[in-house]
Structure formats: structure tokens, C-alpha cells
Amino acid sequence: MVQQVLYRALVSTRWLSESVLANRIGPSLQVLDVSWYPPGERDAQQEFRDKHIPGASFFDIEECKDKSSPYELMLPSEAHFANYVGHLGISNDTHVVVYDGDDLGSFYAPRAWWMFRVFGHRTVSVLNGGFKNWVKEGHPVTSELSRPEPAVFKATLNRSLLKTYTDMVENMESKRFLVVDSRSEGRYRGTEPEPGNEGLEPGHIPGSLNMPFFKFLTEAGFEKSPEEIRTMFQEKKVDLSQPLIATCRKGVTACHIALAAYLCGKPDVAIYDGSWSEWFRQAPPEHKLSEWKRNKA
């Protein structure tokens, strides 16, 4: 079998800084700030207006989603995604670099990386270390807003990278896919509350394993090496040669698992887009494992 040549999932702050200084930002290279924070904590758009990577555009994940869904951040349609990123100057020939300003170094960037991939765009990378390290290392920032020339983007949904509630129910019987949950251990086990005001109790899908997403990052906010990540999967008995689905609360940090596996040469991890938010509301009680009610009794 011929091994697939994977596009680089990460670019360094040095590489991007050299690209910015060489005025390479344009039709062939676009940079997106994909930051998002819970209401009342930080204002992602205002922070972008105050300071961002020169030439970057703001990717508003609240605008680029299925607004008709009762769940928080479900994928938009092909047409919606194509129109949205096209207005950001992105064509099918553009190398897209995504980053966010989270204190961890990376939070929403892997979600945007996966969104481009699930809509058929191969040339997309995450800025390793995020905006946190870009600033820390003294790379240039600006408050000047860019106005990229609109481009034509054709989106083609890659259904193999996306799982629905129906798919997850079927997998309960077939067990064809191993399911890995990226939330913290306490939320996975049901001993700590879920964040937000959606009325979700903590717990997990039966049969799923737990790999908290932040453990794929170093203390400084960079992705750990492929060797370290591969060891982490092995310790959790996650066989990267087998089909894999990643889940979390709303389909965001699950993408860290997909990125980590990609760095180990596995590009086909699927994301359960509805994740625990959907599963908790739709699945029967016996398909929701939790210590929450027992502890509250």
C-alpha cells in the first residue's frame, strides 16, 4: 500500500514571521485568527482589532456554523462555508494558517483546521504555539485590518471525517470505531460539572476512552512531538491503525485528538460533531455513563 503524503499540519512562528516580513500574505497564503471565548470572559473580536498577526483576518466561528441547529457549533453547509471563507480571500489553492489567542497556546485552532479538511481543503496548518507564543517571541503585531480580495472556494464535504448521532448509535452495536473523549477526566467520569448553562450533566459514551486534549500540549503551549504523542496513544491502548472517532462537549477539543493522530501519520480520525451536548440530550439513560447522579443522591 502506498503511504499517503500528508500536508504539514503545523507551521512554526518563525516560518510564519518570515512569510509576513516577506509580504507573502495574499491569495496563496492566508492567516486566520479563529479565537473564541465564553461570553463575559474575553472579547475575541475586540482583541483581534487591538492586536493580531499582520495580514490576518478574523474567522468568526459563531458566523460559520449551522445556526438552525439546537447545538452550539455544528458544521455549516458546504455553501455556507464556501461563501464565508471565500469572502476572506481563500480559494482552493490557498495555504491557510489558523491560530487562536488562548492562554493554553491552542484551543479553537484545531477545530478550524478540521473544518477546512472536512470540507475538502488539504492545505491548512495550525500555528504551533499560537498567538501566545507569537507575542512572547516578539514577532510583529498590528491593529490594521486587512481587506482581502474575495475568492472562489468550492467546498466538498468529506463524510468520512464526520460522524452523526445516528453513526454513533450504530457504532454502539458494531464497535467498528474506537471512541476517544478529549474532555477532562472529571467531566468524562461524571465527577465534575460540565461548563456553560446548557443543563448538561457530565459523563461519557459507553466504551469511550479518555484522553484530555490539553495533555497533547507542552506547558509552553506547543504541540508535543509525534514520538511523545504516539506514546500517549499507546499508553491508553489506542491503536492508530484502527478506525477512530473523537468526541468532547461540542466538537471543538475533539479536534485536538484528530490533530495529534495526524501528526503521527493518521489523517482519518472522524469527529462526532454533536458530541456530548447532543448525546446527553438524545441517548437513552443506559447509554450515558456518569457518577454525577450517584454522587448527588
Side-chain angles (χ1 to χ4, degrees), residues 180-255:
V180 182
D181 191 317
S182 68
R183 292 171 300 154
S184 67
E185 182 181 358
R187 289 164 59 193
Y188 166 84
R189 291 177 54 199
T191 59
E192 297 175 1
E194 283 290 324
N197 301 311
E198 295 82 29
L200 295 180
E201 294 179 8
H204 64 271
I205 299 170
S208 62
L209 301 175
N210 182 220
M211 294 188 74
F213 78 95
F214 47 84
K215 293 189 176 182
F216 292 113
L217 300 171
T218 67
E219 187 174 343
F222 295 94
E223 290 288 329
K224 290 183 177 178
S225 70
E227 293 74 25
E228 290 174 293
I229 293 171
R230 194 171 287 110
T231 298
M232 291 170 65
F233 280 119
Q234 290 170 348
E235 289 174 348
K236 286 289 185 175
K237 295 182 169 49
V238 175
D239 184 351
L240 292 180
S241 70
Q242 299 301 311
L244 184 64
I245 298 172
T247 185
C248 54
R249 180 168 73 96
K250 56 182 180 180
V252 173
T253 62
C255 299

Side-chain angles (χ1 to χ4, degrees), residues 12-14 53 99-106 127-139 217-223:
S12 68
T13 50
R14 178 178 178 180
I53 295 174
Y99 74 90
D100 63 67
D102 197 88
D103 292 336
L104 286 174
S106 180
L127 177 63
N128 197 12
F131 194 57
K132 163 187 173 178
N133 283 289
W134 178 272
V135 173
K136 182 179 179 180
E137 294 169 8
H139 298 300
L217 300 171
T218 67
E219 187 174 343
F222 295 94
E223 290 288 329

Side-chain angles (χ1 to χ4, degrees), residues 30 32 57-60 83-90 148-151:
Q30 291 287 356
L32 300 180
S57 298
F58 187 77
F59 180 99
D60 189 347
N83 181 65
Y84 187 83
V85 302
H87 277 86
L88 296 177
I90 295 168
E149 190 73 23

Side-chain angles (χ1 to χ4, degrees), residues 17-34:
S17 180
E18 290 173 352
S19 297
V20 168
L21 294 174
N23 295 314
R24 297 193 189 112
I25 309 300
S28 62
L29 175 63
Q30 291 287 356
V31 182
L32 300 180
D33 183 324
V34 301

Side-chain angles (χ1 to χ4, degrees), residues 32-250:
L32 300 180
D33 183 324
V34 301
S35 301
W36 185 93
Y37 309 107
E41 290 190 9
R42 293 168 61 178
D43 186 332
Q45 293 197 45
Q46 185 58 53
E47 289 187 22
F48 175 80
R49 287 190 289 267
D50 291 342
K51 185 169 60 178
H52 56 267
I53 295 174
S57 298
F58 187 77
F59 180 99
D60 189 347
I61 203 164
E62 289 286 355
E63 290 298 320
C64 193
K65 69 176 185 179
D66 179 1
K67 295 184 180 181
S68 68
S69 173
Y71 307 111
E72 292 178 80
L73 293 175
M74 300 290 275
L75 277 179
S77 66
E78 291 171 324
H80 184 169
F81 185 82
N83 181 65
Y84 187 83
V85 302
H87 277 86
L88 296 177
I90 295 168
S91 74
N92 296 93
D93 297 322
T94 305
H95 178 194
V96 181
V97 175
V98 295
Y99 74 90
D100 63 67
D102 197 88
D103 292 336
L104 286 174
S106 180
F107 197 102
Y108 272 80
R111 168 71 181 191
W113 170 82
W114 173 77
M115 288 176 72
F116 274 96
R117 294 185 62 242
V118 82
F119 283 117
H121 195 66
R122 178 172 172 266
T123 54
V124 57
S125 309
V126 173
L127 177 63
N128 197 12
F131 194 57
K132 163 187 173 178
N133 283 289
W134 178 272
V135 173
K136 182 179 179 180
E137 294 169 8
H139 298 300
V141 296
T142 186
S143 61
E144 183 178 347
L145 300 180
S146 62
R147 292 175 174 79
E149 190 73 23
V152 175
F153 185 94
K154 179 176 175 53
T156 304
L157 182 64
N158 181 351
R159 295 189 180 277
S160 70
L161 296 180
L162 174 67
K163 296 300 175 185
T164 65
Y165 175 76
T166 301
D167 295 326
M168 299 302 289
V169 171
E170 190 280 329
N171 193 64
M172 292 287 293
E173 297 296 326
S174 70
K175 295 180 171 55
R176 178 170 172 252
F177 289 84
L178 179 62
V179 180
V180 182
D181 191 317
S182 68
R183 292 171 300 154
S184 67
E185 182 181 358
R187 289 164 59 193
Y188 166 84
R189 291 177 54 199
T191 59
E192 297 175 1
E194 283 290 324
N197 301 311
E198 295 82 29
L200 295 180
E201 294 179 8
H204 64 271
I205 299 170
S208 62
L209 301 175
N210 182 220
M211 294 188 74
F213 78 95
F214 47 84
K215 293 189 176 182
F216 292 113
L217 300 171
T218 67
E219 187 174 343
F222 295 94
E223 290 288 329
K224 290 183 177 178
S225 70
E227 293 74 25
E228 290 174 293
I229 293 171
R230 194 171 287 110
T231 298
M232 291 170 65
F233 280 119
Q234 290 170 348
E235 289 174 348
K236 286 289 185 175
K237 295 182 169 49
V238 175
D239 184 351
L240 292 180
S241 70
Q242 299 301 311
L244 184 64
I245 298 172
T247 185
C248 54
R249 180 168 73 96
K250 56 182 180 180

